[in-house]
Amino acid sequence: MKHMLRFSLIALLALAVMPALAQTVTLTIQETHLDGEVSVSFDDGEYENDSIDKLDDDDLDMGWEGDDLNIMTSFLRYRDVQIPQGATILSAVLTIYAHEDEADEAIITVYGEATDSTVSFTETEALADRDFTTASVPWVCSDSWTMWQPYNSPDLSVIIQEIVNRAGWVAGNPLTIFLQGEDQGASWLDNARDFESYENIEDPDDGGDGLHHPERIPTLVITYTTAGVEDVKQVAVSVYPNPAINHNLEIQLAAPIQGEASLHSMDGKCVQRMAISGQSMSMDISTLPKGVYVLKVSDGTIDRTQQVII
């Protein structure tokens, strides 16, 4: 399992549906108030063990601080989640940007908050005041991270599914994701990964430009359908390595198809296209700039999409 994660192999069981049946919502952390002239959000922050550390820091920590014996748990509260109660969640991927160059392994477990409508966070509350979902997803960060580069979580659909299945869930409610570290033992290693928060003003003393970067705010992309189970076809898809670490992106399908694969930038522009005739293919990405892309695999009837980091 660690071997697969080390090479950033994201092998998701993607649910592919007719394009008209699948819908996608893109959620980002929003401003809660102004501190002077500075835009601030209390919808993201971090707990140090059981207590909130900060609500307005420029970075968030998740993992284990072995020198101080602190478990760090980041939280992300997303508002106005327009997904109907009981919808089928096809995929849910969190994209975050590294705040530092880091290589020490961080063992993270991702949860949601088990509530119909998560409330705002305050600096005086304890982590024990929040109820976690039964569903959770492990995320072992063992690859090296590069400052200000994007990284994708594993598929979090089981967590979102539990939340929207709640009897009191209503489209438009907010939801919260927790990224909790675990005790990895006393050590001088930094087993906590730091990532960009809503504020993310980059300190020039740390190599930054002194500017706010809205494109680096943690983003949760959820794809869902309200179609009946009989309208949904399960298709196993593997894309690796993801993030890409060489000049080729390997794509593996559960069954052979005739069609095409295309890679799109986040503004919708097609930057790479190739024909498919079979079950596996290799896409040359050597000329593409670093960033987040969407891979689309189509046989003319069914579209399969997956987020890819280069």
Side-chain angles (χ1 to χ4, degrees):
M1 183 64 179
K2 285 187 176 181
H3 176 76
M4 294 174 65
L5 291 165
R6 188 174 298 116
F7 287 92
S8 300
L9 170 60
I10 300 180
L12 304 181
L13 183 62
L15 300 178
V17 301
M18 293 293 290
L21 299 179
Q23 301 181 64
T24 298
V25 295
T26 299
L27 306 170
T28 189
I29 303 299
Q30 301 177 32
E31 176 189 288
T32 58
H33 62 286
L34 291 174
D35 185 0
E37 297 182 354
V38 178
S39 178
V40 175
S41 180
F42 281 3
D43 280 348
D44 64 0
E46 62 191 23
Y47 286 87
E48 186 177 276
N49 299 313
D50 192 45
S51 301
I52 285 185
D53 183 24
K54 294 179 180 178
L55 283 175
D56 58 357
D57 201 356
D58 63 352
D59 71 289
L60 302 170
D61 297 353
M62 59 177 186
W64 168 249
E65 295 178 336
D67 52 346
D68 295 322
L69 307 182
N70 291 324
I71 292 176
M72 305 302 296
T73 303
S74 294
F75 63 84
L76 305 167
R77 180 176 181 263
Y78 293 101
R79 289 182 267 164
D80 193 25
V81 183
Q82 292 294 336
I83 300 177
Q85 196 275 338
T88 299
I89 306 302
L90 307 180
S91 67
V93 177
L94 175 69
T95 300
I96 58 178
Y97 282 74
H99 185 73
E100 298 178 2
D101 293 340
E102 293 181 297
D104 298 331
E105 183 178 75
I107 301 175
I108 311 300
T109 303
V110 186
Y111 300 90
E113 185 177 4
T115 185
D116 298 333
S117 184
T118 180
V119 298
S120 300
F121 286 79
T122 65
E123 291 184 337
T124 58
E125 69 177 272
L127 184 59
D129 295 337
R130 302 274 173 159
D131 295 324
F132 283 11
T133 53
T134 301
S136 64
V137 174
W139 185 6
V140 180
C141 301
S142 53
D143 291 338
S144 296
W145 280 14
T146 301
M147 182 186 294
W148 301 325
Q149 293 303 304
Y151 295 92
N152 276 357
S153 73
D155 183 21
L156 308 179
S157 56
V158 294
I159 297 172
I160 307 303
Q161 189 69 70
E162 180 177 330
I163 295 173
V164 303
N165 279 353
R166 294 179 62 89
W169 172 263
V170 176
N173 280 2
L175 63 79
T176 293
I177 297 295
F178 293 98
L179 303 113
Q180 185 172 55
E182 68 176 60
D183 186 341
Q184 294 180 243
S187 170
W188 290 112
L189 297 177
D190 183 7
N191 298 112
R193 296 291 175 104
D194 297 0
F195 62 97
E196 300 284 81
S197 69
Y198 173 85
E199 290 79 12
N200 74 62
I201 302 297
E202 302 303 343
D203 189 344
D205 292 338
D206 295 331
D209 55 15
L211 301 177
H212 172 66
H213 289 268
E215 73 278 7
R216 297 178 187 165
I217 297 173
T219 300
L220 181 63
V221 178
I222 304 172
T223 301
Y224 71 94
T225 181
T226 56
V229 175
E230 67 277 6
D231 296 323
V232 180
K233 179 182 179 182
Q234 291 188 350
V235 181
V237 181
S238 296
V239 179
Y240 62 93
N242 192 8
I245 56 176
N246 52 34
H247 297 311
N248 292 301
L249 188 68
E250 306 298 330
I251 306 166
Q252 182 74 35
L253 301 174
I257 70 168
Q258 300 288 327
E260 71 171 22
S262 55
L263 201 61
H264 301 258
S265 58
M266 295 306 289
D267 61 4
K269 181 181 178 181
C270 180
V271 297
Q272 195 75 284
R273 190 187 303 273
M274 63 178 290
I276 298 173
S277 179
Q279 191 170 349
S280 61
M281 64 228 70
S282 180
M283 177 178 284
D284 182 4
I285 56 172
S286 59
T287 62
L288 298 179
K290 292 182 178 179
V292 181
Y293 297 82
V294 175
L295 175 71
K296 178 180 177 181
V297 179
S298 176
D299 61 5
T301 301
I302 295 175
D303 290 342
R304 307 156 178 85
T305 60
Q306 184 167 325
Q307 198 172 71
V308 175
I309 295 175
I310 295 176

